[in-house]
Amino acid sequence: MTFRLHFPHRDSPNVIAQDAECVDVTFVSSATEYEHTDRILFHDYPKIYSRAGLYENIFHKHLQCRSPQEVVSSLAECVGSHPAFARETPLHVLEVGAGNGIVGAEMKTQLSGRINRLVGTDILPEAHEAAMRDRPNVFDQYVVADLTDERQAEIFGKKQFDVLITCAALGPGWNDMPVQALLTALATVKDGGLVAITVNVCWLGKANETPWGQFIAMLDGKDIKAWKTLKELQRKRYKHRLDVRGQWIWYMAVIFEKSERFDRA
């Protein structure tokens, strides 16, 4: 079965919120030539992951998503310059919100020979299935888990990883990864380890008292108790992808060092 894509809001005069962006996918049976069209929200990942190649066609071929390359490039720079990571040091890496393995594959490319063990985790069983189908050799282990539940996070152990990365997953929406999952995952990172994240720059300067708002306050330079084990090493503003109207969405990649010595409580 093949498919064709049409973006219904391409000519909209109004900005379309990321959680409202959608695509019309026409599926064509090669055997019967039967066609049917399904309108799919960009954040309906279970449906997108169910079709091999659909995610890549939407986000990478048509919308030119650059986040995997950008955040991994920033991470690789920090790995190369950080005194704790000598050239021969093997890295144990945890990717949270690992999806179908695109970021994991990018790490295997840019950090070639440096990664000793790469573990992926995602809340969606469909993400795990897509990763095993499309990139079966990327991850050494892939766990379906909800990291907002500390009991589920216990499977990863404490201070087991040199690097934690999450790419284009965090956000305040119902279909985003909540920052509580990142907070829980921090416990898996060794002292002196690196944490790599991305965030839409539209949120900067919009801190509030919610968990997401306090995360933004930390990025804005405020001393926030929940995040005080992180010390920023690098940030980079970059083009994440095109929106449905062909305008660039700007994100920021931020690399932190994590250590209990930064905890001043």
Side-chain angles (χ1 to χ4, degrees), residues 19-243:
D19 60 1
E21 289 181 302
C22 63
V23 59
D24 291 335
V25 184
T26 299
F27 298 96
V28 184
S29 171
S30 56
T32 66
E33 298 186 358
Y34 170 76
E35 297 185 6
H36 75 278
T37 300
D38 195 2
R39 179 161 291 186
I40 302 176
L41 289 169
F42 282 7
H43 284 186
D44 190 350
Y45 294 119
K47 189 171 287 188
I48 292 174
Y49 286 145
S50 70
R51 299 285 185 177
L54 183 55
Y55 182 97
E56 290 84 352
N57 266 271
I58 294 172
F59 296 107
H60 292 268
K61 180 179 178 180
H62 288 274
L63 301 179
Q64 302 177 39
C65 180
R66 300 178 177 183
S67 275
Q69 297 93 326
E70 294 286 356
V71 69
V72 176
S73 173
S74 291
L75 174 63
E77 287 179 18
C78 288
V79 167
S81 62
H82 198 286
F85 300 120
R87 187 167 184 81
E88 66 276 6
T89 304
L91 301 176
H92 289 213
V93 181
L94 175 65
E95 183 186 357
V96 181
N100 63 356
I102 289 178
V103 176
E106 188 66 30
M107 283 192 285
K108 287 290 186 74
T109 297
Q110 292 200 40
L111 290 167
S112 177
R114 295 302 310 274
I115 297 178
N116 177 261
R117 181 170 175 78
L118 176 58
V119 177
T121 182
D122 203 291
I123 196 172
L124 296 176
E126 295 87 353
H128 170 260
E129 292 166 7
M132 297 303 100
R133 178 193 66 213
D134 301 338
R135 297 171 182 84
N137 300 316
V138 166
F139 296 102
D140 297 288
Q141 183 183 11
Y142 196 118
V143 180
V144 177
D146 178 0
L147 294 189
T148 63
D149 182 346
E150 293 186 4
R151 293 171 298 177
Q152 293 189 42
E154 289 175 358
I155 189 173
F156 302 106
K158 301 289 187 182
K159 300 184 179 181
Q160 297 296 307
F161 295 96
D162 304 290
V163 174
L164 169 67
I165 185 170
T166 185
C167 176
L170 290 167
W174 63 270
N175 46 13
D176 294 316
M177 186 174 81
V179 291
Q180 182 55 48
L182 179 60
L183 274 174
T184 302
L186 288 180
T188 71
V189 182
K190 300 174 182 177
D191 286 348
L194 300 179
V195 178
I197 63 107
T198 67
V199 64
N200 191 323
V201 299
C202 75
W203 293 109
L204 299 180
K206 297 179 181 178
N208 56 46
E209 295 305 313
T210 66
W212 175 255
Q214 291 296 282
F215 173 69
I216 295 301
M218 179 270 293
L219 292 175
D220 286 339
K222 304 295 192 301
D223 187 14
I224 305 300
K225 182 177 181 180
W227 300 99
K228 61 194 172 198
T229 59
L230 295 181
K231 172 183 167 184
E232 185 175 318
L233 300 180
Q234 182 190 114
R235 68 169 59 192
K236 175 177 65 178
R237 191 174 184 266
Y238 68 91
K239 295 173 179 176
H240 165 53
R241 66 165 171 83
L242 297 172
D243 68 13

